[in-house]
Amino acid sequence: MALGSINLAVKAGTIEKIAEFLVVDRPVSYNVIMGTPWLNLMQAIPSTYHLCLKFSTPRGIKTIWGNPRVSQVCFAAELKRKKSDSETTPRKKIRFQKQDSAEIFRQLRKAEILEEKREPTCEPVVSVCLDEAFPERCIEIGAILHEPLRTKLITCLKKNLHAFAWAAEDMPRIDVNITCHELNIDPTFKPVEQIRRKLGTERATPVNDEVQKLLKVGSITEVKYPDCLTNPVVVKKKNGKWRVCVDLTDLNKACPKDSFPLPHIDRLVEATAGNELLSFMDAFSGYNQIMVNPDDCEKTAFITDRGTYCSKVIPFSLKNAGATYQR
């Protein structure tokens, strides 16, 4: 977790640029990382194989060469530090054979001592009520936000209160005239009707509860004489609760792959560089806000102790759901 940022002047050859650095409190064998923003600022070309960096100057191309011996010392120090951290026995002093590594060791050991004394920290948050009529509708924001940013943030959240979903009943869903999920099943596919699997009392109860909840919010509807029929699958989550899914393996095999491009996480992270604030959308049961094409609903039918139902919204185990959501 970054403690903050600082702008420093970095001089390479005869060129001096102001670069922003993130400050972190971690024991490492180096002092600074010249990352992608600085390389872009310098229009530099690095080569890890040749251990050098080239960039253009008014007097021509400048080359900065790395020191292989110092690099090896830093690499060895980092390996020994990680090994020391993984040991369950008390820490042993790290001794370097090379004299020029003594300063690196002192800095590393000092950082490790500070790390041992420092208590685990987390960013404090405060609860803010967005709707006075419903005191339970609260959100958490960072407690260290300063004015006027704090006031502007709370005002913006209250102004857009209608955009929040506190329960499944608050989801209006997207109109089918705007978009919906189409299965596009292969016409040569032969419908598969799975044999009903027996569920014990422990698993049948959460299935019935889930069916009751989905019926209440209008996510499923009862269906008769379906051509395709699947079974529910119940899996226990880490928190001890049950997750109810539908075994759509046979249906997914009949659907061709939708190659709509999904985002690259590394590019999304890099795009945040240089920005003070990050805004993102966390959709409440995002797949369930997109309707399935009415002509394809019955193909998602599943059987339970209470009857046979089909999904009116995208189920989470359906193929190409991610592509439709991203589109």
Side-chain angles (χ1 to χ4, degrees):
M1 182 179 295
L3 301 180
S5 62
I6 184 173
N7 292 324
L8 298 176
V10 180
K11 187 175 182 180
T14 58
I15 298 181
E16 183 174 309
K17 299 284 187 179
I18 301 296
E20 183 182 12
F21 294 88
L22 297 178
V23 182
V24 295
D25 183 13
R26 291 292 299 169
V28 291
S29 56
Y30 44 82
N31 296 322
V32 67
I33 296 178
M34 308 305 297
T36 304
W38 180 79
L39 293 176
N40 293 339
L41 192 65
M42 294 291 295
Q43 298 182 359
I45 300 177
S47 174
T48 55
Y49 181 80
H50 299 93
L51 206 61
C52 70
L53 182 74
K54 289 190 175 185
F55 55 92
S56 178
T57 68
R59 298 182 180 180
I61 301 300
K62 175 69 176 179
T63 303
I64 298 179
W65 295 94
N67 189 325
R69 197 155 64 94
V70 175
S71 299
Q72 292 174 1
V73 171
C74 288
F75 183 68
E78 186 70 14
L79 290 179
K80 291 186 178 182
R81 185 190 68 81
K82 290 183 178 180
K83 181 179 179 181
S84 178
D85 289 344
S86 63
E87 292 178 352
T88 55
T89 56
R91 294 179 180 268
K92 298 180 181 179
K93 290 186 177 181
I94 305 174
R95 297 183 179 274
F96 297 100
Q97 297 179 356
K98 299 183 179 182
Q99 296 180 356
D100 59 356
S101 63
E103 180 62 25
I104 296 178
F105 168 71
R106 283 195 294 269
Q107 295 180 5
L108 176 62
R109 186 56 183 167
K110 181 179 179 181
E112 288 180 344
I113 293 174
L114 292 176
E115 179 69 18
E116 291 174 354
K117 292 181 179 179
R118 187 167 63 92
E119 296 181 357
T121 59
C122 61
E123 183 178 354
V125 296
V126 293
S127 181
V128 177
C129 180
L130 297 184
D131 192 349
E132 301 297 337
F134 300 92
E136 70 279 1
R137 295 185 175 182
C138 298
I139 62 169
E140 293 180 343
I141 64 173
I144 61 176
L145 287 177
H146 301 291
E147 297 292 351
L149 178 59
R150 175 189 173 90
T151 302
K152 289 183 178 180
L153 176 60
I154 296 177
T155 303
C156 178
L157 294 175
K158 289 184 177 181
K159 183 179 179 181
N160 297 277
L161 183 63
H162 63 279
F164 292 88
W166 306 98
E169 293 82 356
D170 298 334
M171 295 191 301
R173 297 195 178 91
I174 301 175
D175 191 278
V176 292
N177 295 321
I178 299 177
T179 185
C180 64
H181 182 79
E182 297 181 358
L183 297 182
N184 194 25
I185 296 179
D186 185 351
T188 62
F189 167 72
K190 183 179 179 180
V192 177
E193 186 175 346
Q194 296 181 1
I195 300 176
R196 181 186 174 190
R197 301 171 190 165
K198 295 181 180 179
L199 295 176
T201 306
E202 186 180 20
R203 284 177 167 80
T205 300
V207 171
N208 293 333
D209 294 341
E210 185 71 11
V211 168
Q212 179 64 28
K213 183 180 72 174
L214 295 177
L215 281 173
K216 182 179 179 181
V217 298
S219 295
I220 62 175
T221 184
E222 191 171 7
V223 62
K224 299 179 180 179
Y225 315 116
D227 294 329
C228 301
L229 191 61
T230 58
N231 284 277
V233 179
V234 186
V235 181
K236 179 167 287 189
K237 298 190 289 187
K238 292 182 179 180
N239 58 7
K241 297 182 179 179
W242 293 98
R243 181 187 298 277
V244 180
C245 304
V246 180
D247 182 13
L248 298 175
T249 305
D250 296 320
L251 180 61
N252 288 335
K253 290 179 180 178
C255 299
K257 177 178 173 55
D258 187 347
S259 299
F260 189 86
L262 300 181
H264 292 285
I265 300 301
D266 54 343
R267 292 185 180 179
L268 294 177
V269 174
E270 288 178 359
T272 64
N275 296 281
E276 296 182 359
L277 296 176
L278 172 64
S279 176
F280 62 95
M281 181 189 71
D282 184 10
F284 187 100
S285 299
Y287 287 178
N288 294 159
Q289 296 194 33
I290 304 176
M291 306 293 288
V292 175
N293 190 318
D295 296 335
D296 296 330
C297 286
E298 290 192 3
K299 298 181 177 64
T300 64
F302 59 94
I303 187 170
T304 68
D305 292 343
R306 298 183 50 174
T308 306
Y309 304 89
C310 68
S311 181
K312 297 168 60 179
V313 299
I314 297 181
F316 286 92
S317 54
L318 189 61
K319 185 178 181 180
N320 299 325
T324 299
Y325 182 81
Q326 183 60 28
R327 181 184 286 109

